[in-house]
Amino acid sequence: MDKRFTDIIQIIKQSRANAIKAVNAELINLYWNIGEFISKKIEKSEWGDAVVKELANYIHQNEPEIKGFSDKNIWRMKQFYETYKDFPKLSTAVREISWSHNLAIFSRCKTVEEREFYLKLSKQENYSFRELDRQISAGLFERTMISNSKLSTLLRQNSLDVTTTFKDSYVFEFLHLPEPHNESELQRGLVKQMKDFILELGKDFIFIAEEYKLQVGNNDFFIDLLFYHRGLQCLVAFELKADKFKPDHLGQLNFYLEALDRDVKKENENPSIGILLCKDKDNEVVEYALSRSLSPTMVSEYKTQLPDKKLLQQKLNEMFDNENNENI
């Protein structure tokens, strides 16, 4: 490509992106206004429920070039408006994502907190519809809320906001792993399905290598998976364990982090972070093991099947109930 013209190409692409955003915002405004109009007419008893079907038929017969206004879709517009009308902050956010994304969020999410969570995340991570649908099915909101992340002392004291970057548990249902499976099968699956893996991790993660080689003295050592995180500006080493967490797992990971910081990390980057990813863990054992760890590490577990959302919601409700009782 001729480098003289790259700035012009960037201007064209940015202008097109802005135009798409403007069109989308206007479309959402249209659906909002229609929903508001119908909602208020029905609320004042000026219209009955049957009028919506009459309206859809009228549009179809008299304005056949106007598509997307079936009675079902018009009812969704009414539901859309009524869902957000009392939440002005969210009514702004809905205009920043597509109608299909909005449909998934307001029809599948049960609370205003959950809707706000996915509205922000959809924009922040630039999710496709498939990616958003998968995150809702995987109970990302509930898992984030009830997360009981175990961090090492150094990671807890870190000025960087790591609690919103890493999860207490990850879901790898896309791997279709056999039971039992070993670390090699887990690693091969994650590398093969890297796009889905990064979706679960978060899109700020950049994959560097599998079996990343470190040379210390006359010995070679290999990190299972090495990433770079753009937001945290640091290397992130993942060690995989296809069994239950054991305290001695941390020694190996701490060694890797020391080697990364001495030999790989650049001067402008923050200290490397280590994630020990286990099939299972006992939180109390993890807490004891991490309490005196001098490296920025955390222990997470992974699941090979989508979680039961009803069970997650039940746990979340119990957590809120306990917090309310403590505040009484």
Side-chain angles (χ1 to χ4, degrees), residues 184-202:
S184 295
E185 291 171 319
L186 174 60
Q187 182 176 328
R188 284 196 300 270
L190 292 174
V191 171
K192 187 176 180 180
Q193 301 286 345
M194 184 55 65
K195 184 177 180 180
D196 289 319
F197 184 28
I198 288 181
L199 171 63
E200 178 66 2
L201 293 177

Side-chain angles (χ1 to χ4, degrees), residues 4-155:
R4 294 175 299 167
F5 307 134
T6 54
D7 289 343
I8 296 296
I9 297 300
Q10 188 58 39
I11 291 172
I12 293 171
K13 288 182 177 180
Q14 185 60 54
S15 182
R16 285 180 172 176
N18 292 340
I20 291 172
K21 288 180 181 178
V23 169
N24 178 74
E26 188 56 39
L27 184 66
I28 300 300
N29 280 334
L30 171 63
Y31 293 162
W32 178 278
N33 292 335
I34 291 174
E36 180 181 17
F37 185 90
I38 294 171
S39 178
K40 290 181 176 179
K41 284 288 186 183
I42 292 177
E43 184 181 359
K44 295 176 182 177
S45 299
E46 295 179 13
W47 283 9
D49 291 351
V51 176
V52 170
K53 190 164 188 178
E54 294 173 15
L55 171 61
N57 290 335
Y58 179 87
I59 293 173
H60 178 70
Q61 292 171 6
N62 294 277
E63 303 289 344
E65 72 281 3
I66 299 179
K67 306 296 183 182
F69 289 89
S70 66
D71 57 330
K72 183 183 292 185
N73 284 341
I74 294 173
W75 276 117
R76 285 172 176 162
M77 295 171 202
K78 173 179 175 291
Q79 182 188 357
F80 175 59
Y81 165 74
E82 291 175 347
T83 297
Y84 294 112
K85 65 177 182 178
D86 296 326
F87 304 98
K89 184 171 71 170
L90 298 191
S91 67
T92 301
V94 299
R95 288 160 171 81
E96 298 176 336
I97 61 175
S98 74
W99 177 241
S100 60
H101 285 63
N102 272 304
L103 275 176
I105 292 171
F106 80 77
S107 63
R108 296 188 62 190
C109 298
K110 307 301 181 186
T111 65
V112 64
E113 292 82 9
E114 185 179 4
R115 294 186 188 106
E116 181 177 9
F117 177 85
Y118 286 115
L119 283 170
K120 288 181 177 179
L121 206 61
S122 292
K123 181 187 176 185
Q124 175 185 316
E125 297 287 338
N126 194 26
Y127 283 151
S128 67
F129 176 79
R130 184 189 72 83
E131 291 170 342
L132 171 63
D133 186 65
R134 187 263 174 190
Q135 296 293 43
I136 295 175
S137 296
L140 180 58
F141 168 73
E142 292 88 351
R143 287 190 288 132
T144 301
M145 292 298 104
I146 63 178
S147 173
N148 186 26
S149 297
K150 300 300 181 183
L151 313 177
S152 67
T153 301
L154 194 60
L155 200 53

Side-chain angles (χ1 to χ4, degrees), residues 313-326:
Q313 288 167 355
Q314 181 182 333
K315 289 182 178 179
L316 186 59
N317 291 335
E318 289 173 357
M319 185 185 76
F320 286 148
D321 289 341
N322 290 335
E323 288 179 355
N324 292 334
N325 291 334
E326 289 175 1

Side-chain angles (χ1 to χ4, degrees), residues 215-233:
Q215 290 182 304
V216 179
N218 296 321
N219 299 290
D220 293 337
F221 301 90
F222 298 89
I223 299 174
D224 287 340
L225 300 170
L226 184 63
F227 288 82
Y228 183 80
H229 192 277
R230 293 173 60 203
L232 298 178
Q233 294 190 320

